Amino acid sequence: MEIITSTFFSSQFVIAAIFTIFSLLLAVRTARSTKSTKQSDGATSATSATARKKSCNCTCSCNGPAAASAAEREMLEVGRHAATAATAVVAERGSGASMMEQLVPEITTHALSYLDYPSLCRLSMTNSLMRKAANDDNAWKALYHKDFTLEQDSVIPVNGWKAYYAATRAVVNVNAEFFNIIRERSLPAMSRFWLNADYVKCIHASGELFSGYNSVIQSWQIAFNWEQGVDFQVQDVRARVLTDIAWVTMKTYIDIDTGPFNMTNVFEFHNGQWYMVHHHSSVMLVDGEVEQQVVHG
């Protein structure tokens, strides 16, 4: 027993214990000192942040609810700037449109006069502003005089110049179809082309008069059987259109050596279609003389 006690309380053991206790005390003191330093630094940082906030009235993005409110205000500000920019673009576009609307009508009419019939129709389908400009009555009147004749100044169309242009265009196209039928020598097409009425009349270049639908169609049958297809060159076409009747005068040529013909075609409007009711062809005077020709037309 004595041996164990003396070994347990030897000098080396006592020195080790004292050194261990001293180390523990030093560690505890160091830990307390570090904690105190951190708390002091945190308080100092908070005080500095508060001072900066008061001086510049701003916060960083990590400051919780205050930062979220600042971000929302910034987004609202960006939205207002975007709305202002969009309004400016719309206003700029609107000002461009209004500038065109404020053009002198004569200038607009002159600009549109360079367009043809299909282009003017397509322009009217682009937008409301172009439709208003393209439907202007003066523009269609100018186009009428450019495409047809200059002797219609006294005409005052009841439904406006656009409707009158369309009706005149339809009559001119029907008149051109008449010469296509002659070139093709198609009796069925000629039969459908004439109005089936007893008052229709046809005077060929030979001077023969045929009255009534059946007589007129028979005259064309004789002409198609007797002659080869005739390719008329049509010039100086002048049309006049009323509500349900129209007439077209023109000069026609067969070839250079043959003198021209004066022709007059009269049409009536029935059931949405133009029908021929009168045709008159006569040889024109050339140097005061009439050349003898046997061409039917």
Side-chain angles (χ1 to χ4, degrees), residues 230-243:
V230 179
D231 187 11
F232 284 102
Q233 303 298 321
V234 183
Q235 298 180 4
D236 196 20
V237 179
R238 305 191 179 202
R240 184 67 179 266
V241 183
L242 301 182
T243 304

Side-chain angles (χ1 to χ4, degrees), residues 205-217:
S206 61
E208 298 176 87
L209 170 63
F210 299 89
S211 182
Y213 178 79
N214 293 329
S215 179
V216 168
I217 300 304

Side-chain angles (χ1 to χ4, degrees), residues 252-293:
T252 59
Y253 300 82
I254 298 176
D255 53 51
I256 298 176
D257 297 331
T258 305
F261 295 87
N262 279 323
M263 284 193 182
T264 301
N265 292 332
V266 182
F267 301 91
E268 286 187 3
F269 193 73
H270 295 273
N271 300 322
Q273 184 175 345
W274 289 100
Y275 293 92
M276 180 174 282
V277 295
H278 186 90
H279 169 73
H280 190 158
S281 178
S282 60
V283 180
M284 290 181 59
L285 293 175
V286 179
D287 296 331
E289 298 180 356
V290 176
E291 296 184 5
Q292 294 296 324
Q293 303 179 47

Side-chain angles (χ1 to χ4, degrees), residues 29-87:
R29 184 176 180 181
T30 303
R32 289 181 176 179
S33 177
T34 303
K35 183 176 180 181
S36 176
T37 302
K38 289 183 178 180
Q39 290 178 352
S40 176
D41 292 343
T44 304
S45 300
T47 303
S48 300
T50 304
R52 287 196 301 269
K53 183 175 180 181
K54 289 181 179 180
S55 61
C56 65
N57 196 24
C58 64
T59 61
C60 64
S61 60
C62 58
N63 287 337
S69 299
E72 291 177 358
R73 289 195 297 271
E74 183 176 357
M75 292 178 64
L76 290 174
E77 187 68 22
V78 172
R80 283 195 292 270
H81 284 301
T84 303
T87 304

Side-chain angles (χ1 to χ4, degrees), residues 34 45 51 105 113 122 174 196 202 240 245 259 262 292:
T34 303
S45 300
S113 66
R122 285 193 291 266
V174 170
N196 192 346
C202 179
R240 184 67 179 266
I245 189 171
N262 279 323
Q292 294 296 324

Side-chain angles (χ1 to χ4, degrees), residues 2-290:
E2 291 177 0
I3 296 174
I4 296 173
T5 305
S6 59
T7 304
F8 182 78
F9 290 102
S10 63
S11 59
Q12 294 179 353
F13 178 79
V14 172
I15 293 172
I18 293 173
F19 183 77
T20 302
I21 293 171
F22 179 76
S23 298
L24 290 174
L25 291 174
L26 183 62
V28 170
R29 184 176 180 181
T30 303
R32 289 181 176 179
S33 177
T34 303
K35 183 176 180 181
S36 176
T37 302
K38 289 183 178 180
Q39 290 178 352
S40 176
D41 292 343
T44 304
S45 300
T47 303
S48 300
T50 304
R52 287 196 301 269
K53 183 175 180 181
K54 289 181 179 180
S55 61
C56 65
N57 196 24
C58 64
T59 61
C60 64
S61 60
C62 58
N63 287 337
S69 299
E72 291 177 358
R73 289 195 297 271
E74 183 176 357
M75 292 178 64
L76 290 174
E77 187 68 22
V78 172
R80 283 195 292 270
H81 284 301
T84 303
T87 304
V89 172
V90 172
E92 182 178 357
R93 292 179 179 177
S95 63
S98 62
M99 286 176 62
M100 184 171 181
E101 289 179 338
Q102 293 174 4
L103 283 176
V104 179
E106 289 77 7
I107 297 178
T108 303
T109 301
H110 180 72
L112 296 179
S113 66
Y114 289 96
L115 301 178
D116 57 6
Y117 170 61
S119 299
L120 197 58
C121 290
R122 285 193 291 266
L123 179 65
S124 66
M125 294 185 290
T126 55
N127 54 53
S128 59
L129 178 61
M130 293 295 100
R131 181 167 57 252
K132 180 180 179 180
N135 288 337
D136 182 72
D137 210 44
N138 292 324
W140 285 97
K141 181 179 180 180
L143 184 63
Y144 182 93
H145 288 309
K146 183 178 72 172
D147 289 354
F148 300 119
T149 65
L150 298 176
E151 58 184 16
Q152 305 288 330
D153 290 334
S154 61
V155 175
I156 303 177
V158 177
N159 298 319
W161 279 99
K162 182 177 181 180
Y164 191 67
Y165 182 99
T168 305
R169 173 65 64 183
V171 170
V172 171
N173 291 341
V174 170
N175 188 74
E177 181 62 22
F178 172 70
F179 293 99
N180 292 333
I181 294 173
I182 294 177
R183 294 186 187 99
E184 298 172 358
R185 296 190 298 170
S186 174
L187 187 63
M190 186 64 78
S191 300
R192 294 189 298 269
F193 193 78
W194 282 81
L195 180 67
N196 192 346
D198 57 358
Y199 58 84
V200 299
K201 289 179 172 57
C202 179
I203 304 174
H204 291 285
S206 61
E208 298 176 87
L209 170 63
F210 299 89
S211 182
Y213 178 79
N214 293 329
S215 179
V216 168
I217 300 304
Q218 288 176 3
S219 71
W220 284 109
Q221 182 178 13
I222 295 172
F224 291 159
N225 292 335
W226 181 33
E227 300 169 354
Q228 297 180 351
V230 179
D231 187 11
F232 284 102
Q233 303 298 321
V234 183
Q235 298 180 4
D236 196 20
V237 179
R238 305 191 179 202
R240 184 67 179 266
V241 183
L242 301 182
T243 304
D244 55 1
I245 189 171
W247 57 92
V248 184
T249 62
M250 71 220 79
K251 297 176 182 178
T252 59
Y253 300 82
I254 298 176
D255 53 51
I256 298 176
D257 297 331
T258 305
F261 295 87
N262 279 323
M263 284 193 182
T264 301
N265 292 332
V266 182
F267 301 91
E268 286 187 3
F269 193 73
H270 295 273
N271 300 322
Q273 184 175 345
W274 289 100
Y275 293 92
M276 180 174 282
V277 295
H278 186 90
H279 169 73
H280 190 158
S281 178
S282 60
V283 180
M284 290 181 59
L285 293 175
V286 179
D287 296 331
E289 298 180 356
V290 176

